[in-house]
Amino acid sequence: MAGGLFFAYVAVSLRIHEHLLSHSFDLGIFVQVVQSYAAGHLPVSEVKGPDFPVLGDHFSPILAVLAPLYWLWPSVKLLLVAQAALVAASVLPLAFWARRTLGSAAAVVIGVCYGVSWGIASGVGYDFHEWAFAVPLLAFSLTALGSDRLRAAAFWALPLVLVKEDLGLTVVVIGPLIAWRGGPGGRRLGIVTASVGLAATALVVPVLSAFHPGGFDGYYASHNPRTADSGSGDLLDFLHTVTVGLITAQEKVTTLILVLAPTLFLAVRSPLLLVALPCAGGTRAAAVCTATWRAPRQSPCCSCRTSRCGSWFSRRAGRPTPAWRWPAV
């Protein structure tokens, strides 16, 4: 099943690229990042500006793992194939989890429905992005958490801090869930996991500021166009974006509904859905540019991954399990 989805993702991605339908801006940035790592220096992108240091735009050092593969195949297609492999791999833990609890037939249905769901499909069709690394990491972490394999849940969650600057907050949320599920040992593990996520989030801000040509103000303005245009960046503006801004404009409401609708909103019964909040409501809430919320974009993919796990948790149907064990699919 994962192999079939992989070849389907590759076919779709390469066909879009070969027909010159790629969104070349982001794809050009990422291929230059991988080129930089392959050449042995910190990533720069001429697409963003002359010798622009990409670590001042987004903190995604995990992209360096593609450098050895780029030595063997120095092509932009490598990124598209790598993304297809990463996303296809995320099907495996969910399908295995379903097979252990509901049997093989249900596992196939759940795996296929997840693999072709709108969040995953639209992400694969939108060129390459760093979120591709987060999808399997979240899949393995959340299924381990749902199966009470707490060390494995922490092991798979911690590398998220290397995927993007805002995913440290996701690790912060996973930590308390680990603590909740475990005894004294689980509580210690959960506290350590959350502490690492919080520390990584705090440390990444000086890194972004140091590398961005405009410092922190330049970084903040580049990701908040309204602030840059109007000159407003005060506390009231921030409070607006993280409260009323969550439900305006329409793109935000539409995307949030589309994330939950495929699960018939069963995912809201599961504590695992809390893991999606930083991804769906953190940076996206602060992002004034509504384009980052639109359904065809790559950003809903990690939220969809969490929503499916949460709804699957909820549907271990008919069993007298506590609320925690309501999985979400």
Side-chain angles (χ1 to χ4, degrees):
M1 176 171 52
L5 289 169
F6 166 71
F7 286 113
Y9 296 155
V10 168
V12 169
S13 297
L14 294 184
R15 184 174 179 83
I16 290 173
H17 181 68
E18 289 170 355
H19 282 72
L20 305 179
L21 298 175
S22 298
H23 301 82
S24 56
F25 183 79
D26 285 352
L27 190 59
I29 293 173
F30 284 112
V31 74
Q32 289 183 344
V33 168
V34 176
Q35 284 176 344
S36 298
Y37 283 125
H41 58 77
L42 292 176
V44 295
S45 175
E46 302 297 328
V47 176
K48 294 285 292 182
D51 292 326
F52 185 91
V54 178
L55 287 177
D57 184 42
H58 289 299
F59 184 76
S60 303
I62 200 168
L63 294 172
V65 304
L66 294 178
L69 297 176
Y70 193 83
W71 298 337
L72 302 175
W73 187 19
S75 169
V76 66
K77 294 180 181 179
L78 166 68
L79 277 67
L80 301 177
V81 173
Q83 176 172 271
L86 289 165
V87 176
S90 72
V91 178
L92 296 174
L94 184 61
F96 285 142
W97 188 17
R99 188 176 68 176
R100 287 195 300 270
T101 55
L102 289 182
S104 298
V108 171
V109 172
I110 290 170
V112 171
C113 288
Y114 161 74
V116 299
S117 61
W118 78 269
I120 299 297
S122 63
V124 169
Y126 205 84
D127 305 332
F128 176 88
H129 284 85
E130 70 286 295
W131 61 259
F133 286 93
V135 175
L137 291 173
L138 278 170
F140 281 101
S141 179
L142 295 182
T143 53
L145 187 57
S147 302
D148 293 331
R149 295 181 290 114
L150 303 183
R151 289 184 180 274
F155 173 83
W156 289 108
L158 290 175
L160 288 169
V161 302
L162 302 177
V163 176
K164 201 172 181 182
E165 62 274 8
D166 51 357
L167 286 177
L169 296 176
T170 299
V171 178
V172 171
V173 176
I174 292 175
L177 295 179
I178 292 174
W180 186 16
R181 287 301 296 158
R187 284 194 289 272
R188 287 192 294 270
L189 179 61
I191 291 171
V192 169
T193 302
S195 298
V196 171
L198 188 61
T201 303
L203 291 173
V204 78
V205 174
V207 172
L208 293 168
S209 301
F211 280 98
H212 197 284
F216 176 77
D217 290 341
Y219 168 77
Y220 183 78
S222 67
H223 290 274
N224 294 271
R226 188 176 68 187
T227 300
D229 294 340
S230 66
S232 63
D234 57 16
L235 179 60
L236 290 178
D237 181 68
F238 174 76
L239 292 175
H240 176 273
T241 58
V242 299
T243 52
V244 178
L246 279 173
I247 55 173
T248 57
Q250 181 180 344
E251 288 90 341
K252 299 182 180 183
V253 177
T254 301
T255 297
L256 291 175
I257 291 174
L258 288 175
V259 166
L260 296 172
T263 74
L264 301 179
F265 296 91
L266 288 172
V268 299
R269 300 173 62 197
S270 171
L272 286 185
L273 192 63
L274 295 172
V275 178
L277 292 180
C279 184
T283 331
R284 301 300 169 197
V288 180
C289 181
T290 55
T292 61
W293 280 84
R294 289 174 188 156
R297 296 296 295 266
Q298 79 284 353
S299 44
C301 193
C302 292
S303 297
C304 283
R305 158 79 261 170
T306 309
S307 173
R308 300 308 180 274
C309 281
S311 114
W312 161 234
F313 229 179
S314 297
R315 290 209 311 241
R316 299 220 343 235
R319 300 190 182 183
T321 51
W324 154 259
R325 298 191 65 87
W326 295 339
V329 241

